[in-house]
Amino acid sequence: YVAAVYEHESILSPAPAALVERRSALELMGRNLDIYEQQALAAAKQGAQIIVFPEDGIHGFNFTRSSIYPYLDFVPHSHPGKWNPCREPYLFNDTEVVQRLSCMALKNELFLVANLGTKQPCERWDPRCPSDGRYQFNTNVAFAADGTLLATYRKHNLYFEYAFDTPPEPDYAFFDTPFAGKFGMFTCFDILFFEPAVKLIKQYNVKQIVYPTAWMNQLPLLSAVEFQQAFATAFNVNILAANIHHPTLGMTGSGIYTPVKSFIYHNMESYGGKLIVAEIPVITADYKTNSEINERFRENLHDSCGTFMSTSLDDEVCFKEQEEIPGRVSEKGKEQSPPSFYAEMMYDNFTFVPVWGEKGELQVCANTLCCYLNYRRAVLTDELYALGVFDGLHTVHGTYYVQACALVKCGGLSFSTCGQEVTDATALIDFQLWGNMSTPYIFPLLLTSGITLDFADHMGWKNNYYFLSKNRTSSGLLTAALYGRWYEKD
């Protein structure tokens, strides 16, 4: 099917905390909706059957609870598929934005997903009802090609959004399409949590995801395109991800992702929006999941030892059946093992070992997690790389438990620069990275110079280790990591 996502540079309120009339709120949102109209038309002309717009794209951000109120539409949360706002605008008050979105879908005959702020009155007897008598939600809406409102999703994992409420229960939102079956919906920060994103995929067997986001990039492990790709790979789904475009705030990075190919946009240099249109295969419900493929892979691995490993690495890299710990370093090697050191990466205290020389085998551990690396460099460059491990609760900008094994390029040549944000690299490295992860939820990250993506040659479980191997990245290596989310320990 042909999908479109639009990375939108939203026209923002100059004073989001100021109280304004509904009329001027509609005027500002109308200017963003004018751009959406042009893009929906452009996408339809390129054959798109569905278009996704980003989070906060219509109203912007940095509001207070009261200052956002004039920007909120009323959207009924139940009875999906029963209301066509374009054809029945008179059914509810304060639905101007929803009407325009519905008409956009109808006029261009495509499915349309957008994000807006919504309000819902609540009763005094409701123990969760805020003191002002209303709920305010960060909401995605999905429309059919005839303008019918198909589904709504209220964001569950808010990222310091004081203007909005968390819904009482997580929404599991999905809608059906004639061209690709069922699509699931969630928003931005949701992608890092079990509820509702993982449960939606597992419980409802969703294989296509629409994902509005307003993501601030954080290298080396949480750049938007890097994590969106990893999520598509980990869960074997297609993701249509639309981010907002505000380079001064570190916000860019949208794409259309399949488990094996990506069409991405990441641009910190210039301004303006970007429409991405791509044709991708439908992933059907009976398509083998990563874990099922891994099961088969585990069985076949010892037969295909030679073919599985890149030929340029030494044969002993291959897992030997009798070996409990892969790549056990010989006693001789231990004497020369490089020093471990600590450095902060992504606000977490990682334990690192430097990656020196042309080739080698390394190991670094923290708590119960041990990470191993076999590597060989094509050419020695004057760049410092390090292998890092973190096994603990991440507590800055959200609280969640991470198990990570990461090979990263450092910011400079001193150990203290490891973990810094780096965007360019020249070193081409053949590597195999693995760890004894305690969670099945592993996001394989592979980021190359200029914030471009690459795909692993092999990855998956072997005994109790998850591994990722790559024979020569397409450009200099920035990050190769196993980012594990241990949801039960959040």
Side-chain angles (χ1 to χ4, degrees):
Y1 63 101
V2 181
V5 300
Y6 181 61
E7 179 158 310
H8 176 52
E9 186 187 346
S10 40
I11 298 160
L12 300 170
S13 161
L19 301 180
V20 300
E21 297 287 311
R22 172 76 172 168
R23 192 172 36 86
S24 49
L26 285 172
E27 195 273 326
L28 176 87
M29 294 191 289
R31 290 159 67 195
N32 285 305
L33 289 164
D34 290 345
I35 299 170
Y36 279 24
E37 256 167 18
Q38 297 160 8
Q39 299 304 323
L41 176 63
K45 282 185 172 160
Q46 292 180 59
Q49 293 154 286
I50 184 169
I51 186 167
V52 182
F53 291 103
E55 181 185 26
D56 298 336
I58 297 171
H59 55 263
F61 30 73
N62 296 331
F63 293 95
T64 66
R65 182 173 178 87
S66 49
S67 75
I68 202 171
Y69 184 68
Y71 293 84
L72 306 178
D73 264 35
F74 173 76
V75 176
H77 183 60
S78 46
H79 317 302
K82 301 275 194 292
W83 178 41
N84 188 317
C86 189
R87 293 189 167 142
E88 308 161 294
Y90 44 81
L91 279 192
F92 307 100
N93 291 330
D94 293 337
T95 57
E96 292 90 336
V97 175
V98 179
Q99 287 170 37
R100 279 197 69 180
L101 294 167
S102 165
C103 293
M104 256 180 248
L106 172 66
K107 190 169 134 199
N108 295 294
E109 296 179 2
L110 44 60
F111 281 69
L112 184 146
V113 175
N115 172 274
L116 73 161
T118 64
K119 58 188 176 187
Q120 199 177 309
C122 50
E123 304 295 342
R124 293 275 174 231
W125 48 258
D126 174 356
R128 305 183 69 149
C129 185
S131 56
D132 52 21
R134 62 179 184 262
Y135 287 117
Q136 300 185 170
F137 296 121
N138 173 335
T139 304
N140 296 341
V141 284
F143 299 92
D146 66 356
T148 303
L149 178 64
L150 288 179
T152 59
Y153 168 72
R154 302 167 302 182
K155 187 178 181 183
H156 192 71
N157 298 284
L158 297 172
Y159 188 79
F160 306 101
E161 297 166 73
Y162 305 114
F164 291 121
D165 299 304
T166 302
E169 299 291 321
D171 291 342
Y172 303 108
F174 49 85
F175 56 92
D176 268 308
T177 65
F179 51 86
K182 197 158 48 181
F183 279 80
M185 264 198 295
F186 49 84
T187 310
C188 202
F189 203 38
D190 285 328
I191 204 167
L192 287 178
F193 297 90
F194 188 82
E195 289 283 11
V198 179
K199 195 164 171 191
L200 175 76
I201 290 168
K202 290 177 79 71
Q203 190 164 315
Y204 298 96
N205 204 12
V206 172
K207 293 294 182 188
Q208 341 284 326
I209 301 289
V210 289
Y211 178 63
T213 185
W215 190 276
M216 299 174 83
N217 289 300
Q218 200 188 358
L219 291 166
L221 305 179
L222 288 180
S223 170
V225 294
E226 173 186 33
F227 203 81
Q228 289 160 11
Q229 171 59 56
F231 193 93
T233 306
F235 287 108
N236 216 76
V237 292
N238 290 333
I239 299 184
L240 316 184
N243 198 1
I244 210 148
H245 190 80
H246 292 288
T248 48
L249 301 171
M251 298 166 112
T252 180
S254 305
I256 295 170
Y257 305 86
T258 80
V260 294
K261 190 170 187 187
S262 296
F263 304 86
I264 66 164
Y265 181 70
H266 174 101
N267 182 348
M268 289 290 284
E269 309 306 313
S270 60
Y271 291 87
K274 175 71 173 179
L275 180 69
I276 307 170
V277 181
E279 184 169 4
I280 56 172
V282 176
I283 298 181
T284 53
D286 55 359
Y287 194 90
K288 286 277 181 280
T289 64
N290 214 348
S291 55
E292 290 167 307
I293 292 167
N294 292 338
E295 278 306 320
R296 291 217 326 277
F297 193 65
R298 282 185 211 198
E299 291 155 25
N300 301 343
L301 195 61
H302 58 276
D303 307 328
S304 56
C305 227
T307 54
F308 148 71
M309 264 324 292
S310 59
T311 46
S312 67
L313 284 170
D314 298 332
D315 293 339
E316 69 264 16
V317 167
C318 201
F319 293 105
K320 299 181 183 67
E321 285 302 297
Q322 68 278 14
E323 200 171 23
E324 313 85 78
I325 301 174
R328 215 177 312 152
V329 185
S330 66
E331 290 307 312
K332 183 169 65 71
K334 281 211 172 70
E335 296 153 27
Q336 308 134 0
S337 65
S340 67
F341 61 93
Y342 300 99
E344 190 179 281
M345 180 158 83
M346 316 282 298
Y347 302 104
D348 294 321
N349 192 19
F350 272 72
T351 307
F352 285 101
V353 288
V355 176
W356 284 338
E358 184 192 336
K359 62 177 181 172
E361 297 178 18
L362 295 173
Q363 155 183 348
V364 64
C365 303
N367 291 340
T368 62
L369 177 62
C370 284
C371 306
Y372 307 88
L373 175 73
N374 282 324
Y375 65 95
R376 174 170 298 192
R377 289 191 226 208
V379 179
L380 271 180
T381 60
D382 60 344
E383 295 168 295
L384 175 63
Y385 282 79
L387 173 67
V389 62
F390 178 75
D391 179 6
L393 194 64
H394 172 88
T395 56
V396 180
H397 301 159
T399 303
Y400 44 93
Y401 200 99
V402 174
Q403 277 200 324
C405 292
L407 167 61
V408 294
K409 182 189 163 181
C410 304
L413 294 178
S414 67
F415 288 172
S416 61
T417 65
C418 297
Q420 290 181 356
E421 302 214 357
V422 182
T423 54
D424 295 293
T426 59
L428 303 176
I429 305 177
D430 297 346
F431 66 87
Q432 184 176 32
L433 173 67
W434 66 103
N436 62 332
M437 319 297 277
S438 305
T439 168
Y441 299 104
I442 313 296
F443 300 95
L445 308 178
L446 194 48
L447 194 63
T448 47
S449 191
I451 317 297
T452 50
L453 297 176
D454 212 334
F455 288 84
D457 295 337
H458 298 281
M459 63 185 144
W461 292 95
K462 165 67 179 165
N463 302 329
N464 295 317
Y465 297 89
Y466 191 94
F467 68 88
L468 173 74
S469 70
K470 181 67 181 174
N471 194 5
R472 198 66 53 87
T473 49
S474 49
S475 57
L477 181 68
L478 288 179
T479 306
L482 309 175
Y483 189 90
R485 275 288 286 112
W486 198 343
Y487 300 115
E488 294 85 354
K489 295 189 77 161
D490 283 4

